[in-house]
Amino acid sequence: MSRDAMPRRLNVRVSDGELEALDRASAGMGCSRSQVVRLLIHCLADGGTRMGAGTVAFDYETSHGIVRNLRSIGTLYNQSVAALNMIAKVARES
């Protein structure tokens, strides 16, 4: 995103350990520190849900890929059911 799309700036003081943890998280996710903080904000924004065990967060590219794959699976499922219905119809008529 461009800087114009995000006009607000957030300054946060963290300990050396917290900064190292943020750097490890950003390196592990392949994104910047800012993107990790934004991701955490988005995870917490919906109803104040706390991040903890069982919470999974994805970056945009990963979540977009998952949605695309699920749509493809749904399309394949629909095509398969339509083909099976056609086979059943032909079998009943013969």
Side-chain angles (χ1 to χ4, degrees):
M1 292 185 114
S2 69
R3 290 180 187 259
D4 295 335
M6 295 178 284
R8 303 286 184 199
R9 182 180 190 99
L10 174 67
N11 294 314
V12 180
R13 293 185 181 272
V14 295
S15 68
D16 290 337
E18 291 169 333
L19 185 60
E20 289 173 13
L22 179 59
D23 287 337
R24 280 192 308 272
S26 65
M29 295 168 60
C31 57
S32 68
R33 291 175 180 169
S34 295
Q35 289 172 319
V36 172
V37 172
R38 269 189 233 100
L39 181 62
L40 291 170
I41 290 169
H42 288 288
C43 288
L44 296 172
D46 295 329
T49 305
R50 290 182 34 200
M51 297 231 3
T55 301
V56 178
F58 299 108
D59 59 308
Y60 175 78
E61 290 82 15
T62 303
S63 64
H64 185 68
I66 290 170
V67 168
R68 188 177 59 245
N69 288 337
L70 287 174
R71 283 187 183 143
S72 297
I73 291 169
T75 300
L76 179 62
Y77 175 77
N78 286 337
Q79 291 171 347
S80 300
V81 169
L84 287 173
N85 284 333
M86 183 61 70
I87 291 169
K89 179 181 177 185
V90 169
R92 278 192 308 266
E93 292 174 355
S94 57

